[in-house]
Amino acid sequence: QVQLVESGGGLVQPGGSLRLSCAASRSIFSFNAMGWYRQAPGKQRELVATIISGGRTNYADSVKDRFTISRDSAKNTVDLQMNSLKSEDTAVYYCNAVRTATHHWGQGTQVTTV
């Protein structure tokens, strides 16, 4: 059973920064892709950023040039650096990992910009 544990959420002022981290119970390089999704109150869960096994990244238009997804092989984590945060970034952020077409999810971490 794959376990994903997010950390780093919190309360931040507009224009501020946060760094989220997702720790996996198996090597992050064993997944076909890993990423971050978010869900705001009353809205559907949406993709924020993904990184595939080869290292290519993909971002939602709303976070391009503000957020950066990366892998830390030493810590076995996938991180999301979030800069220039806006009120509309407020949501629960979920880590996602895909392996052999199976999606795994973390429990989520709250990010609130106010």
Side-chain angles (χ1 to χ4, degrees):
Q1 182 72 18
V2 173
Q3 290 186 327
L4 303 172
V5 180
E6 302 99 336
S7 61
L11 184 66
V12 64
Q13 292 182 343
S17 298
L18 281 175
R19 188 177 184 87
L20 304 183
S21 187
C22 173
S25 59
R26 60 183 299 149
S27 171
I28 59 174
F29 298 100
S30 70
F31 298 107
N32 301 114
M34 293 190 72
W36 289 91
Y37 289 69
R38 67 187 182 188
Q39 187 167 18
K43 294 188 177 181
Q44 290 187 333
R45 190 172 297 188
E46 63 177 3
L47 180 147
V48 175
T50 60
I51 185 166
I52 65 173
S53 57
R56 188 173 65 188
T57 58
N58 181 54
Y59 297 91
D61 287 342
S62 59
V63 306
K64 279 181 182 177
D65 301 322
R66 298 190 298 123
F67 291 9
T68 303
I69 189 170
S70 61
R71 294 179 295 194
D72 188 325
S73 57
K75 296 180 180 179
N76 198 46
T77 61
V78 172
D79 302 330
L80 185 69
Q81 178 65 42
M82 305 185 295
N83 299 327
S84 303
L85 283 161
K86 305 175 181 180
S87 57
E88 51 262 45
D89 295 318
T90 294
V92 178
Y93 284 70
Y94 296 92
C95 180
N96 170 268
V98 183
R99 186 170 184 269
T100 59
T102 298
H103 285 256
H104 305 276
W105 296 92
Q107 81 286 353
T109 186
Q110 177 71 46
V111 172
T112 303
T113 304
V114 66

